[in-house]
């Protein structure tokens, strides 16, 4: 039978910076969705290391091999409003720990209260990536640790030039 419906999901986050954990969630997500929109939160309240433009550029570079099935965008509004604007009904989120679950559970219920048509799909992080977080990676990089096994090469390079004095390759 010919498939006419396109399944799209929005994968929101701050991506400050993108890690191999994020990348793996998107890769796995693409086995279930035709298109994934990676929606980078402007995150003004978060004091990010990378500017929005830098984060978007890294996302574009790292997801280039996935072609048109991965769309890179940013948003500066309530997530449900962004989904309504895009006419997408599914949020994709990754869960690493019980701590993540508690936060995600609350967010998902809040989003469903705001718009009952919006569903959140959770993917449990693969064992290899469950210890990775953007903030831990920034801390390691700032102290001169090698983050090459935790982030895509372009991100490792970007961290190196942001934190030039202490990062070793
Ligand atoms: P925020 O925490 O600001 O929403 P993040 O960029 O930290 O944004 O994370 C975006 C999404 O990716 C979240 O669903 C988060 O749980 C998930 N995620 C973060 N780190 C990993 C990882 N190492 N493996 C898989 N998923 C992850």
């Amino acid at each position: 039978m010919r498939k006419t419906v396109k399944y799209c999901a929005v994968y929101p986050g701050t991506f400050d910076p993108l890690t191999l954990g994020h990348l793996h969630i998107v890769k796995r997500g693409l086995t279930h969705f035709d298109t994934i929109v990676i929606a980078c939160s402007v995150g003004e309240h978060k004091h990010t290391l990378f500017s929005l433009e830098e984060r978007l550029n890294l996302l574009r570079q790292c997801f280039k091999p996935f072609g048109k099935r991965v769309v890179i965008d940013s948003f500066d509004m309530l997530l449900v409003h962004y989904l309504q604007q895009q006419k997408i009904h599914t949020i994709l989120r990754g869960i690493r720990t019980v701590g993540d679950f508690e936060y995600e559970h609350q967010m998902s219920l809040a989003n469903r209260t705001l718009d009952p048509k919006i569903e959140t799909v959770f993917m449990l992080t693969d064992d290899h990536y469950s210890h990775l977080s953007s903030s831990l990676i920034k801390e390691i990089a700032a102290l001169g640790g090698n983050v090459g096994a935790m982030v895509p090469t372009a991100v490792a390079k970007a961290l190196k030039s942001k934190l030039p004095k202490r990062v070793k390759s």
Side-chain angles (χ1 to χ4, degrees), residues 94-106 122 125 130:
I95 293 199
R96 290 164 294 186
T97 59
V98 174
D100 271 0
F101 174 77
E102 283 183 7
Y103 173 74
E104 295 294 341
H105 175 252
Q106 191 184 19
F122 298 107
T125 300
S130 58

Side-chain angles (χ1 to χ4, degrees), residues 11-26 28 39-41 43 45-46 55 75 91-97 100-101 103-104 107 121-126 128-135 137 150:
Y11 181 47
T14 312
F15 307 108
D16 184 46
L18 172 74
T19 72
L20 291 181
H22 295 131
L23 200 91
H24 195 243
I25 291 285
V26 175
R28 284 167 57 202
C40 191
S41 153
H45 57 290
K46 279 205 170 177
R55 285 178 283 140
F75 71 105
I91 300 170
L92 176 63
R93 295 286 285 177
I95 293 199
R96 290 164 294 186
T97 59
D100 271 0
F101 174 77
Y103 173 74
E104 295 294 341
M107 278 305 296
V121 171
F122 298 107
M123 292 187 105
L124 290 183
T125 300
D126 194 90
H128 287 98
Y129 306 112
S130 58
H131 61 294
L132 297 184
S133 73
S134 299
S135 43
I137 287 166
M150 303 175 191

Side-chain angles (χ1 to χ4, degrees), residues 147-167:
V147 294
M150 303 175 191
V151 293
T153 311
V155 174
K157 277 191 193 150
L159 278 165
K160 203 171 171 181
S161 56
K162 272 272 169 199
L163 308 160
K165 287 185 192 104
R166 300 174 90 168
V167 177

